[in-house]
Amino acid sequence: MANRLPPLNPLRAFEATARHGSLTKAAGELNVTHGAISHQIKALEQSLGVKLFERVGQRVKLTPHGAELLPAVSTAFDGIAAATQRLTRPASSGALSVSCVPALLLLWMTPRLGSFTAQYPDIQLTLIPSNDARDVRAQHIDVCVHYGDGGWTDCWMRKWSGLELFPVVSPTLINNRPIRTVRDLADHVFLHGDDGREWHTWLAAADALDLERGRRHHLGDARMATEAAVHGHGVALGDSVTASALLARGMLIAPFTLSVPAVDDFYVVCRNEMRAAPIVQVFIDWLFAEKAQADSRADAPVAGRFVSRRKRPALKVLGGKTGT
């Protein structure tokens, strides 16, 4: 190969010498002789055609070429060391950092942490509420549970769940201001967890794009919109995954039988090298097992109460003033 990398041992000798500023100390760290370190560095310099060190008294100092090479070599060795540590640590102990969609983290994953802790008491989780695509590449994050179109490249990913969207409202609000038809939504505050596209999709499926919409709040994400609905501040779009427990506990009500499929899905995503780490495999297996268990429960598949827009049903309101 024309672009073949230099041999590993000269690079190790270079990195250790640059870090210590001493051939002797580098030799001690690598458990070789002073002469061996000197020979490896000379071999590397000849291979690259540049001088990497200059002597200053009893120490050595990087030349401009050496200073340019060092960050890349150090980063590479740090990455190899970190990956090796992750691959060799036990599957059932250690620290694991997870980036997760805020709504999914708060409303679905957090209530189930007891299950994970009971099975793996020696794994310490760091849970980061985020749907930032940059987390997939971040070295301090081991695995992501993100909402998207599956377009992440050069990484491992697997679809975890699709989801359906439908209006949700608090029992108190709907009792004080009934929702008997879709037109009654005009008297309520619309709570948005995005830029408005999701509500547009649902209203289109309900043949209500001409609905007069006045007051609205943009809350930044689905978690905040759902929380605002729980507190009676308006009507939000819940989904069949994160809103299921709130509906089952009566904290929210879904007044209509119509749902629409979300544009994107939930995916488990991680860097290719992390997929082989036992502790990551343990967490991913737990995620899919918990989802399967939740789906098997009688009250879990909330979307089963609804009819997807793909069937184009007549819009119905769940009976009674409270919508229950």
Side-chain angles (χ1 to χ4, degrees), residues 16-17 19-32 34 37 59:
T17 302
R19 183 158 32 85
H20 290 293
S22 166
L23 295 172
T24 302
K25 290 183 179 179
E29 177 182 316
L30 299 178
N31 198 29
V32 296
H34 181 285
I37 292 290
R59 298 181 63 80

Side-chain angles (χ1 to χ4, degrees), residues 91-94 96 108-127 282-283 286-287 290:
S92 59
S93 66
L96 187 72
W108 192 93
M109 191 179 297
T110 301
R112 291 169 169 80
L113 283 182
S115 164
F116 185 84
T117 302
Q119 295 179 58
Y120 307 105
D122 295 324
I123 294 180
Q124 296 83 47
L125 293 175
T126 296
L127 301 176
V282 161
F283 181 78
W286 174 81
L287 271 178
E290 282 292 315

Side-chain angles (χ1 to χ4, degrees), residues 103 106-107 167-174 188-193 199 216-238 246 251-253:
L106 176 68
L107 300 173
V168 292
V169 62
S170 75
T172 301
L173 183 59
I174 202 172
H188 289 264
V189 178
F190 280 74
L191 303 173
H192 295 279
W199 263 115
R216 64 188 71 188
H217 295 313
H218 291 269
L219 283 302
D221 61 36
R223 172 186 58 87
M224 295 179 64
T226 302
E227 281 291 305
V230 168
H231 290 288
H233 299 312
V235 185
L237 278 181
L246 298 174
M251 298 176 68
L252 287 175
I253 288 172

